[in-house]
Structure formats: structure tokens, C-alpha cells
């Protein structure tokens, strides 16, 4: 059974680094969502991580490192990658880059690809842990495969308590959505997953447009994480709902509720003041709360697409996709 360790306790980071160094599994907060960490250089630890997640072993993992220098030891950066790293690290951006010869990340963690996904998280607990361990940490979101990503330590334990060694409790995460994933691996910059860094911010830094994810939900994935039904609550979602149907719960956005809102079984508002950043931070915990309330169907109000709205709409489209 996993221990839940408030990071305020002295020695918490040391203990977590010791467990990772010995091949164990530690969940920890990043500014996006909680990650389930394993020593990325230890194939046995990475195998344990896949087993804990119930994740298909072909799905590659993000290698988390403490700074840009550590990322350069793993991967080759072209000019665009350098620009992006300088602008957004530490932060909610993942770069998929060509693996450098002698890259310390275990082949199992990259699913045998010749690219590696790297990220420098900004969260102080993640930073402290990476500094203490001094090795890259492979970390998918700390949920069972197919569930929504955890934004609190309680979410992590609900999914994984009996499968991991420790969760560092750093309170709710601030961004609430996973990192934006960009590939810069020889054919320009491609947006693989919208996330915590809005596309407009990326385009401003690059001085040009970036192509959207190539496969819309429902098509065969190139990156396995693009599976349409990856982010799945139990309840059925109806998107862009202009009215609430009998029996539905309501996932609202903004101060003005749709017709029939008064008959909603339960209502949770992503941001009653219509703030897209607040909505992102609340998305996964509200989906989990509606699942816990046992609702069968959720009407979701239209969410604007600007800024973090692109990533929110992407996750909602996946959550609404038919299950496989
Ligand atoms: O915010 C985040 O990114 C969180 C925190 C913990 O850092 N992590 C996260 O990891 O969301 P995960 O494993 O749930 O999603 C990572 C995605 C997967 O869809 C995976 O397929 C993709 O990154 N990925 C990893 N390596 C890749 C590669 N070499 N090429 C293409 N896609 C890759
Ligand atoms: Mg995930």
C-alpha cells in the first residue's frame, strides 16, 4: 500500500529519491498533473511502471529532467527545439526529439522509438526530486490507463494506491491539464497534443504557425497517447450542449447556464466567471467528481477554443469518444 507523504515532512524528497533510485515507483506533483515516476534509466523499474498503469507497453513515456542541460544529454535539439526550450522550460511543454547516441533512457521507456520525449517541469517538488535523484524520471500521468489524469494526491491513490510505493502530496496542481507535446524531429514542428502551453504562445515564439494534431479523435493513433478514448470518465458526455436533457448532470462554463439547468441532477461549473485557465485546472477533478456522484450522462456547455480552450476541448472530445 502506498504511503502518502506530505512534502512538508522533513526527508520526504530524500525518501522519494531513495525509492526511485532503488527501482521503486513514486507519484509526484508537476504543475500540469501528478506523474507516476520511475528511474528512466532502469528498464526493470519502467516495466513495473507500465504494469502499475495497466498501460500497453508500446506507449512511450516522457523523460522528466531538472534542466535544459540534462535534456541535451538525452536528445538532439534543432534550432526550433532550442527556441522552444529557452522560451518554455521549465514549464508545461514536452519536446519529442531525436534520441542522442548513448541516451541514458531505457529503450523500454521510449517504446523502442528513435525519438525521446523530454520535459523540464516547473513544479518545485518535481524540481527538488529530479535534482536529488540526478537521473531522468520516466513519468506518465499517475492514473490507470484509460482514466482521467490526477490533479490531486487523492486522485492518485484512488487509482493506484496498491500499486505504487509513495505519493508526494503537494496539493492540487496549478495547470490541471497535461503538457503540450511538440515534435521537432526532422520534419518541422508538429503539435502532437495540445496542453498547458497554448498554441498561440508557441506560434508567437516561433514566428509562424504550427500544424494541429494530425489525427483527430477516432482515427488510428500515431502516438498511442492519441487514442481517442484515452481520457475516459465512466459517464457519457454530450458536448456543446445548448440545453440540459432530463437525467443529465451539467458540466458548466461561465455565469450563464443553459436551458433546463435547473433540472440537472448535479451541476459543477468549470469556471463560473468564465476564466479558461481556471476551467483547465478544474477539468479533471470535476469529471472525477461527477463520476463519483454516479451520474450516467453529462451535458457539457460549449467551451471557447482560445488559449487553453484548445486543450480542454481536445480532452473533452476524447472523453466523449466511444470506448474501445
Ligand atoms: O503533463 C504531462 O505531460 C504529464 C506530466 C506527468 O508530465 N505526463 C503525461 O504523460 O501526460 P503521459 O504518458 O500520460 O502522456 C505522454 C504522451 C503519450 O501520449 C505518449 O504517447 C506521448 O506522450 N509520447 C511519449 N514519447 C513519445 C515519442 N517519442 N513520440 C511520440 N509521442 C510520444
Ligand atoms: Mg496520461
Amino acid at each position: 500500500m502506498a504511503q502518502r507523504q506530505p512534502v512538508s515532512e522533513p526527508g520526504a524528497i530524500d525518501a522519494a529519491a531513495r525509492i526511485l533510485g532503488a527501482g521503486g515507483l513514486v507519484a509526484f506533483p508537476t504543475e500540469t498533473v501528478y506523474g507516476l515516476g520511475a528511474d528512466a534509466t532502469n528498464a526493470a523499474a519502467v516495466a513495473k511502471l507500465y504494469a502499475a498503469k495497466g498501460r500497453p507497453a508500446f506507449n512511450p513515456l516522457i523523460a522528466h529532467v531538472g534542466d535544459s542541460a540534462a535534456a541535451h544529454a538525452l536528445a538532439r535539439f534543432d534550432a526550433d527545439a532550442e527556441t522552444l526550450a529557452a522560451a518554455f522550460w521549465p514549464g508545461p511543454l514536452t519536446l519529442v526529439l531525436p534520441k542522442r547516441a548513448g541516451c541514458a533512457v531505457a529503450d523500454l521507456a521510449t517504446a523502442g522509438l528513435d525519438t525521446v520525449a523530454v520535459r523540464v517541469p516547473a513544479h518545485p517538488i518535481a524540481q527538488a526530486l529530479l535534482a536529488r535523484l540526478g537521473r531522468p524520471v520516466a513519468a506518465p500521468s499517475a492514473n490507470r490507463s484509460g482514466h482521467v489524469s490526477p490533479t490531486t494526491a487523492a486522485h492518485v491513490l484512488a487509482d493506484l494506491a496498491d500499486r505504487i510505493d509513495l505519493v508526494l502530496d503537494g496539493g492540487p496542481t496549478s495547470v490541471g491539464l497535461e503538457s503540450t507535446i511538440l515534435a521537432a524531429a526532422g520534419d518541422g514542428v508538429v503539435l502532437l497534443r495540445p496542453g498547458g502551453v497554448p498554441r498561440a504562445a508557441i506560434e508567437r515564439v516561433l514566428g509562424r504557425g504550427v500544424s494541429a494534431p494530425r489525427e483527430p479523435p477516432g482515427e488510428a493513433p500515431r502516438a498511442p497517447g492519441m487514442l481517442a478514448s484515452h481520457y475516459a470518465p465512466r459517464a457519457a458526455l454530450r458536448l456543446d450542449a445548448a440545453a440540459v436533457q432530463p437525467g443529465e448532470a451539467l458540466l458548466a462554463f461561465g455565469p450563464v447556464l443553459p436551458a433546463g439547468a435547473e433540472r440537472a441532477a448535479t451541476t459543477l461549473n468549470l469556471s463560473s466567471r468564465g476564466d479558461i485557465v481556471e476551467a483547465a485546472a478544474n477539468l479533471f477533478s470535476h469529471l472525477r467528481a461527477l463520476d463519483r456522484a454516479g451520474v450516467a450522462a453529462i451535458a457539457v456547455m460549449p467551451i471557447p477554443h482560445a488559449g487553453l480552450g484548445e486543450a480542454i476541448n481536445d480532452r473533452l472530445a476524447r472523453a466523449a469518444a466511444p470506448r474501445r
Side-chain angles (χ1 to χ4, degrees), residues 153-165:
H155 295 165
V156 175
L157 290 172
D159 261 23
L160 296 169
D162 51 350
R163 296 171 170 224
I164 65 179
D165 298 303

Side-chain angles (χ1 to χ4, degrees), residues 53 55 140-143 147 149 178 193 230-231:
K53 281 220 33 135
R55 160 172 284 197
S141 52
N143 52 280
H147 292 195
S149 294
E178 302 87 343
R193 179 178 75 181
H230 187 70
Y231 301 89

Side-chain angles (χ1 to χ4, degrees), residues 179-294:
S179 60
T180 300
I181 304 183
L182 295 174
D187 47 357
V189 175
V190 178
L191 178 63
L192 295 181
R193 179 178 75 181
V197 178
R199 188 211 299 234
I202 291 158
E203 295 181 336
R204 208 175 314 125
V205 161
L206 288 177
R208 62 173 198 274
V210 168
S211 54
R214 279 181 195 159
E215 45 291 91
E219 287 179 23
R222 185 175 55 160
M226 303 297 284
L227 280 175
S229 60
H230 187 70
Y231 301 89
R234 275 190 297 276
L237 263 63
R238 193 167 62 80
L239 304 184
D240 295 319
V244 179
Q245 304 301 330
E248 285 182 328
L250 173 62
L251 186 61
F253 176 82
V256 183
L257 299 186
E262 67 288 345
R263 67 171 166 232
T266 314
T267 297
L268 288 177
N269 202 321
L270 291 169
S271 172
S272 40
R273 58 192 157 94
D275 176 355
I276 204 75
V277 175
E278 182 183 36
N282 285 330
L283 178 66
F284 291 136
S285 57
H286 280 11
L287 287 174
R288 280 180 185 262
L290 290 173
D291 258 350
R292 268 200 313 277

Side-chain angles (χ1 to χ4, degrees), residues 31 42 63-64 73 81 89 94 122 131 161 168 236 247 264 269 276-277 295:
E31 70 276 27
N42 179 340
H64 296 70
W89 281 350
T94 295
L168 287 172
N269 202 321
I276 204 75
V277 175
V295 305

Side-chain angles (χ1 to χ4, degrees), residues 62-92:
I62 298 171
H64 296 70
V65 291
D67 56 30
S68 187
H72 280 75
L74 305 177
R76 293 201 313 271
F77 287 62
D78 65 11
D80 286 335
E82 296 289 3
T83 301
L84 292 164
F88 297 112
W89 281 350

